[in-house]
Amino acid sequence: MRVLLTLPPELAAKLAAIYQKLKEEYNCIAGQISLTCQDCPDNCCDSWFFHHTYSEWAWLWQGLNQLDEASLARITARAEDYLQQSEEQLAAGQTPRIMCPLNEEGRCCIYEHRLLICRMHGIPVALTRPQDKQVLRFPGCFRCQKIVKEKYSKPDEAPFMDRTHLFSQLAALEAEFLGGSGQLYPKIKKTIAELIVQGPPAIHL
Ligand code: SF4
Ligand code: SF4
């Protein structure tokens, strides 16, 4: 039997609080760097990245379920196309660069339900890996890197957001969502297209 996993309101509220904190920290760093997406010639929604939690998968589907049938069918068709294109590009040894199926005319169709990684893109960030405490630094988007190069003598001098605590909070929320039965659920590493084509997260009992 297939049982759908839906995010209860109290966990949706916790997730919203994580996103709000992220937004505040993002705006603070972006302000210091003077990074804005206004009139950006790029659209970073064609970047190749993955999602790792059932809770955000469920959150994404909460947004998708608010769309009308025709919109959802259009998005699903684009997601299927995305999967085919990405397979072809990977087979050709390339890192896929394909517009996200949720991007319509430059805008995100589920903006309020977009995921943590989408909300973080742009500014320089750091992450301390839990397994070996190694600090990983990411320089931000191309526009951010250009500004940093002009403004600071070394990239390390630019302000950055440490996203470790937000990832830890998301991991704790995920554990709560899976009710201590995380071992029943395989680890996930999925593109947004896969999260759409595979439908809402579910457990097979
Ligand atoms: S995050 Fe960077 S690349 Fe993406 S739209 Fe904003 S400025 Fe442009
Ligand atoms: S979910 Fe929305 S914000 Fe994230 S990549 Fe897709 S269109 Fe862009």
Side-chain angles (χ1 to χ4, degrees), residues 1-3 184-185 202-205:
M1 186 176 58
R2 189 168 182 267
V3 179
L184 292 176
Y185 300 86
I203 183 167
H204 296 272
L205 297 174

Side-chain angles (χ1 to χ4, degrees), residues 26 35-38 40-44 121-122 141-144:
Y26 185 105
L35 175 71
T36 155
C37 296
Q38 185 86 32
C40 179
D42 194 19
N43 189 320
C44 39
H121 191 74
C141 68
F142 89 98
R143 194 181 221 188
C144 178

Side-chain angles (χ1 to χ4, degrees), residues 61-183:
W61 265 95
Q62 256 179 251
L64 289 169
N65 282 331
Q66 291 170 19
L67 299 175
D68 60 61
E69 217 175 294
S71 301
L72 189 53
R74 202 171 55 241
I75 288 165
T76 306
R78 281 203 300 265
E80 284 164 350
D81 190 47
Y82 182 108
L83 293 186
Q84 186 168 346
Q85 284 188 56
S86 59
E87 272 174 30
E88 288 166 8
Q89 293 184 17
L90 287 168
Q94 301 162 356
T95 300
R97 196 158 185 99
I98 310 159
M99 185 50 70
C100 173
L102 286 168
N103 189 298
E104 263 179 17
E105 297 172 4
R107 297 180 68 84
C108 179
C109 305
I110 46 102
Y111 191 75
E112 295 302 325
H113 284 260
R114 71 198 192 286
L115 308 185
L116 192 88
I117 195 120
C118 299
R119 294 166 190 259
M120 222 169 238
H121 191 74
I123 57 170
V125 291
L127 173 71
T128 305
R129 269 202 320 220
Q131 62 269 39
D132 57 8
K133 303 292 173 217
Q134 192 187 339
V135 178
L136 308 174
R137 292 283 296 261
F138 304 92
C141 68
F142 89 98
R143 194 181 221 188
C144 178
Q145 289 181 51
K146 192 164 173 278
I147 297 172
V148 164
K149 206 170 169 189
E150 288 163 5
K151 217 169 157 178
Y152 302 92
S153 50
K154 284 189 282 181
D156 280 2
E157 289 173 6
F160 65 92
M161 180 170 80
D162 186 344
R163 65 186 192 187
T164 312
H165 65 296
L166 294 169
F167 273 43
S168 303
Q169 287 170 30
L170 184 59
L173 188 148
E174 178 79 346
E176 203 177 336
F177 182 47
L178 300 181
S181 52
Q183 68 278 8

